[in-house]
Amino acid sequence: MTAKRQKKEKDVIDLMLDQLDFHGMTKDELTGKDGLLRQLTSRFYERILNAEMDEYLGYKKHDNAGDHSGNSRNGYSEKTVILDDNSTAEIAVPRDRNSTFEPLIIPKHEKRAPLFNDQIISMYSYGME
């Protein structure tokens, strides 16, 4: 008697990946300088930063709750971040009028994405220099 393989229920990531057609894509189109992985990484960080801004200001973009609140969105700044494979990605970091927004996922003046920082700290804790 053979064991039946249990069917895994699809999560949000599986549903998103189902929307992509990888057939015929080259390695460069997937992982190259302007490839899919780099674009997904950039947009991933941008979405997180915009969610952080929503949380910081207390309202979503274009919501009337922000009218006359004393602080509001004020465009974006471009930032180049270094990813875990030492490649770079361009992201748009939201700004507020009072310049008091402090992003958590990639703090001001930081150039490295969090995963890379965690790996460096881990190596130092194990005595690798």
Side-chain angles (χ1 to χ4, degrees):
M1 186 168 169
T2 61
K4 286 188 177 182
R5 188 173 181 195
Q6 285 205 357
K7 189 172 182 177
K8 181 181 128 184
E9 191 171 319
K10 290 187 175 189
D11 62 9
V12 175
I13 295 171
D14 288 326
L15 295 172
M16 179 186 71
L17 291 172
D18 285 347
Q19 302 300 311
L20 301 173
D21 183 9
F22 297 106
H23 296 92
M25 291 185 82
T26 66
K27 180 181 177 185
D28 195 49
E29 290 173 325
L30 292 169
T31 60
K33 184 178 184 289
D34 296 317
L36 179 63
L37 186 58
R38 184 76 39 84
Q39 291 178 45
L40 286 172
T41 302
S42 293
R43 291 181 189 183
F44 173 79
Y45 282 119
E46 288 173 356
R47 291 283 178 110
I48 293 171
L49 289 164
N50 279 307
E52 284 187 32
M53 179 63 84
D54 290 348
E55 197 67 27
Y56 177 73
L57 293 175
Y59 63 91
K60 291 184 184 261
K61 189 173 185 175
H62 305 299
D63 189 343
N64 289 342
D67 294 348
H68 311 293
S69 66
N71 194 8
S72 59
R73 287 169 176 73
N74 190 27
Y76 295 87
S77 296
E78 292 296 317
K79 182 174 190 169
T80 302
V81 293
I82 301 169
L83 305 174
D84 58 337
D85 63 354
N86 277 338
S87 62
T88 60
E90 296 291 324
I91 60 170
V93 180
R95 296 185 310 233
D96 64 320
R97 289 198 184 276
N98 296 343
S99 297
T100 53
F101 174 58
E102 294 284 339
L104 299 175
I105 190 72
I106 301 176
K108 286 182 180 179
H109 313 294
E110 290 287 324
K111 289 286 189 185
R112 298 208 178 265
L115 180 60
F116 186 87
N117 288 338
D118 293 343
Q119 290 171 342
I120 296 295
I121 291 168
S122 175
M123 284 192 296
Y124 274 105
S125 70
Y126 287 112
M128 297 177 73
E129 295 183 32

